[in-house]
Amino acid sequence: MRKVIGVSTQALYNKSLTLALHKISQLKIDFIEIVNEGYHTLNRHNYKVHMNFLEEAKLKNIIHAPFSDVNIGSLNEKVRRISLELLFETFEIAHEMGSALVVIHPGHHSPLSSRFPKAYEKVQKRSLEEISKISQKIGITVTLENMPSYPILDGQTPERIKELVDGTEILVTFDIGHLNTVNAQFDKFIELLEDRIIYTHLSDNHGTNDSHLALGEGNIPWKTLLNQLKDIPMSLEVKTFEDILKSLEFLNKIPKGV
């Protein structure tokens, strides 16, 4: 079965969204993932232009919600509310654009929440439950992405991601490169979350840094993983446009039976 492949605008983060979409649309792909921040921010005033372009290009879209300066696990209620409002605005725009899904990050730790771990757990779970409820009301699928190894980041292991999404309607984006920096327990992640994983992020690394290398330039066992996840839509989330081209070439060289 042919794999459903997309590309993240992250590789062109320093270009306008118009330019990024135009350049990526020239590739033989199925969809584009728009990272909704920086030069690629979507809002009520500009989303229709980009939606019309994607429709004319016959490309579907996925939206990655803002994550810089956003923390749904903040113990500062004003920060948490603003973070949620940014996500909810993204959900509404995604619904209008006919997006397949929206990717979100879990909350993360702060100096304060590190001192009050029980309060942090309650706030994190409350935010995810609210996200689940609002996304269902709007009519958009939301997925939680696993995080790379970094001291303040939550949701790094398959067990923790399962704990966070349990009791909600939130599904899972499996970031393979992220897990490689944590413990590389790919089989366990798939086993624990098989019924929740509906999307994957692809990038390579050597297990020490979330370096977002082109596929084949790190140590991730791609042939095995792509076979296990063959029916799941996949997006290339690499650093440069050249890395996108290298990664597409890498995927094309993998035997069709894989």
Side-chain angles (χ1 to χ4, degrees), residues 208-235:
T208 52
N209 295 301
D210 182 29
S211 42
H212 288 269
L213 301 175
L215 305 193
E217 294 188 352
N219 63 4
I220 294 174
W222 289 112
K223 288 185 180 180
T224 300
L225 281 169
L226 292 174
N227 185 48
Q228 290 175 285
L229 299 164
K230 58 187 175 183
D231 298 328
I232 308 292
M234 303 174 174
S235 177

Side-chain angles (χ1 to χ4, degrees), residues 72-122:
I72 63 170
S74 176
L75 296 189
N76 182 321
E77 185 60 14
K78 288 184 179 179
V79 172
R80 189 181 79 92
R81 287 311 323 167
I82 290 172
S83 297
L84 288 173
E85 286 169 15
L86 285 168
L87 297 191
F88 299 158
E89 181 182 4
T90 299
F91 298 169
E92 290 171 354
I93 290 172
H95 178 68
E96 292 293 326
M97 290 182 65
S99 304
L101 58 90
V102 174
V103 181
I104 66 169
H105 286 188
H108 55 267
H109 298 285
S110 68
L112 183 63
S113 67
S114 296
R115 295 176 180 176
F116 298 96
K118 290 183 179 179
Y120 169 78
E121 287 297 323
K122 289 180 181 178

Side-chain angles (χ1 to χ4, degrees), residues 176-177 180 202-223 226 236-251 253-254:
I176 294 170
N180 198 48
L202 310 182
S203 68
D204 218 333
N205 61 62
H206 293 282
T208 52
N209 295 301
D210 182 29
S211 42
H212 288 269
L213 301 175
L215 305 193
E217 294 188 352
N219 63 4
I220 294 174
W222 289 112
K223 288 185 180 180
L226 292 174
L236 294 169
E237 197 181 56
V238 291
K239 276 188 175 180
T240 68
F241 191 77
E242 290 70 26
D243 287 340
I244 292 173
L245 300 179
K246 289 178 185 177
S247 298
L248 289 173
E249 184 179 0
F250 177 88
L251 290 172
K253 287 181 178 178
I254 292 177

Side-chain angles (χ1 to χ4, degrees), residues 3-239:
K3 294 178 177 62
V4 178
I5 299 292
V7 166
S8 168
T9 62
Q10 176 177 281
L12 295 166
Y13 74 94
N14 59 342
K15 307 297 182 184
S16 71
L17 182 55
T18 298
L19 190 152
L21 294 180
H22 178 78
K23 192 164 186 176
I24 294 171
S25 70
Q26 306 304 307
L27 304 172
K28 292 182 179 180
I29 56 173
D30 301 291
F31 65 90
I32 298 178
E33 179 183 317
I34 299 172
V35 181
N36 185 24
E37 60 179 27
Y39 290 152
H40 300 172
T41 298
L42 294 164
N43 56 52
R44 287 289 175 189
H45 305 290
N46 70 6
Y47 83 86
K48 287 184 180 178
V49 173
H50 302 306
M51 177 180 71
N52 291 338
F53 174 82
L54 290 168
E55 288 177 350
E56 289 175 8
K58 294 182 170 56
L59 284 170
K60 296 179 181 179
N61 75 87
I62 283 171
I63 298 180
H64 195 308
F67 55 91
S68 299
D69 307 316
V70 172
N71 188 7
I72 63 170
S74 176
L75 296 189
N76 182 321
E77 185 60 14
K78 288 184 179 179
V79 172
R80 189 181 79 92
R81 287 311 323 167
I82 290 172
S83 297
L84 288 173
E85 286 169 15
L86 285 168
L87 297 191
F88 299 158
E89 181 182 4
T90 299
F91 298 169
E92 290 171 354
I93 290 172
H95 178 68
E96 292 293 326
M97 290 182 65
S99 304
L101 58 90
V102 174
V103 181
I104 66 169
H105 286 188
H108 55 267
H109 298 285
S110 68
L112 183 63
S113 67
S114 296
R115 295 176 180 176
F116 298 96
K118 290 183 179 179
Y120 169 78
E121 287 297 323
K122 289 180 181 178
V123 166
Q124 173 86 282
K125 197 64 177 179
R126 185 163 75 243
S127 290
L128 290 170
E129 289 169 353
E130 192 171 346
I131 287 166
S132 179
K133 181 179 178 181
I134 296 298
S135 63
Q136 283 190 290
K137 184 177 180 180
I138 293 171
I140 190 72
T141 299
V142 172
T143 67
L144 188 68
E145 180 181 1
N146 58 297
M147 295 291 98
S149 178
Y150 196 75
I152 68 169
L153 296 183
D154 200 353
Q156 297 185 28
T157 66
E159 294 88 351
R160 179 58 174 164
I161 287 291
K162 186 176 188 305
E163 183 180 1
L164 291 174
V165 298
D166 275 352
T168 75
E169 296 301 317
I170 297 172
L171 300 175
V172 171
T173 287
F174 179 16
D175 191 304
I176 294 170
H178 285 179
L179 189 63
N180 198 48
T181 70
V182 177
N183 55 26
Q185 292 182 342
F186 306 116
D187 290 343
K188 191 168 189 178
F189 197 101
I190 294 168
E191 180 184 348
L192 275 179
L193 296 159
E194 187 174 15
D195 61 335
R196 296 262 191 172
I197 299 170
I198 62 166
Y199 185 46
T200 55
H201 279 164
L202 310 182
S203 68
D204 218 333
N205 61 62
H206 293 282
T208 52
N209 295 301
D210 182 29
S211 42
H212 288 269
L213 301 175
L215 305 193
E217 294 188 352
N219 63 4
I220 294 174
W222 289 112
K223 288 185 180 180
T224 300
L225 281 169
L226 292 174
N227 185 48
Q228 290 175 285
L229 299 164
K230 58 187 175 183
D231 298 328
I232 308 292
M234 303 174 174
S235 177
L236 294 169
E237 197 181 56
V238 291
K239 276 188 175 180

